[in-house]
Amino acid sequence: MSAMSPEVISRDRARRIALAAQGFARPRPSSAPTVRDLKRVIDTVGIVQIDSVNVLARSQYLPFFSRLGPYDTGLLDALRDRAPRHVGEYWAHEASLVPWPVWRHFRFRMDRAQQDAWGGMQSVAREHPDVVAAVLAEVAARGPLTARQLEARMTHDHDRPRENWGWNWSVVKRALEHLFWSGEVTSAGRTTQFERRYAVPARVVPPRSREVLSDPPSPEESFVALIELGARAHGIGTEQCLRDYARLWPEQARPAIAQLVETGVLREVRVEGWRRPAYLHREARVPRKVHARALLSPFDSLVWQRDRVRALWDFDYRLEIYVPEAKRVHGYYVLPFLLGEGLVGRVDLKADRAAGLLRVQRLTWEPGRGGVSDRAELDAELDLMAQWLALTPASA
């Protein structure tokens, strides 16, 4: 590390770096987005979080709309579900879509399934090893299978009675999730009901990516690769930002950061107003101006790290899905509104499919925002989203 004082970067500049790193400095395509456009988004952010809440749209679809505008979601499904698959699923930053070259770097987490997985998944391997072995054999022989399909095939001794684990999962479902965490089975896609279709990796990983199965990296190599992925996707960030991207522990992240600084991939800097040191990726772009306009999923990678969002934008954001309705401040499914270089508002949205309407349940502007120009920009973005969802925008 240099003995010189780190460069000081203004917050304005840090915001532009962050937005460019997440793909918001690029103009949206002028015509219908293609598979190539979706791959570019995937390769830019590296990890796309999945969530089952469907009050508006499944969360994995929203980051692509935010960066590309209206697109055919079937193209994304095909990248996950149809050979040759471009992405797989794993516990990266929560449940996520990841390209196969990134998937391989979670081998260390797969190998630690018995130590790191949720309690129910740990206990099933310890208490029911026969069920785990039988589930793996069945998936290997007959997959892809959903949990329901597999349960129907297993004997009653295995899947009944259902025990009170989490979401009332059966022992078969818990065995599947243990095998998924440990990398012995993976996802071959989802059904229209959002059920994961389980298969062994050899049936899912495309031939061009088979080295992810035969040549696993060391944990230390993976920590370096995942920290660089977080640094590239953030552009600039603290240790906390970089390790949160792939949910690494401090003891995994710190040696990796030191190595990346030593090799010149990262440079230590200071961001105006930040208490902690920050790290700038050597390929981070610094546009003069960013002219973005996007409604962001609550699970968009731009807003994953809440301390970072507060430090960059003075935007105090939290997910209120699990907050009792009477205690919610901004609503149930609240999307930050990105305009220009700022997070200027919060929009609680609902796709009322029965009525064919996109409903604004609640709208909250940041102090000093919400004038005529801001409202016109939001209306235009809501019109685009309604068009994408085949709905009609309803007034706030």
Side-chain angles (χ1 to χ4, degrees), residues 74 77-86 188-189:
D77 292 341
L79 288 176
R80 179 196 62 199
D81 299 352
R82 298 180 197 162
R85 296 171 173 86
H86 185 71

Side-chain angles (χ1 to χ4, degrees), residues 1-2 6-7 9 17 21 223-243 248 252-270 277-284 308:
M1 202 173 287
S2 172
E7 177 188 0
I9 292 179
I17 292 170
F223 301 153
V224 171
L226 292 172
I227 286 293
E228 185 181 359
L229 183 152
R232 189 184 297 274
H234 276 321
I236 189 169
T238 65
E239 175 203 308
Q240 185 181 18
C241 301
L242 305 190
R243 66 181 175 82
L248 297 182
Q252 296 168 337
R254 286 170 186 162
I257 291 172
Q259 181 175 329
L260 289 165
V261 170
E262 182 68 26
T263 56
V265 176
L266 299 182
R267 179 161 56 91
E268 185 176 336
V269 296
R270 284 200 309 112
Y279 300 91
L280 179 70
H281 195 281
R282 65 184 174 192
E283 295 177 9
R308 171 186 176 82

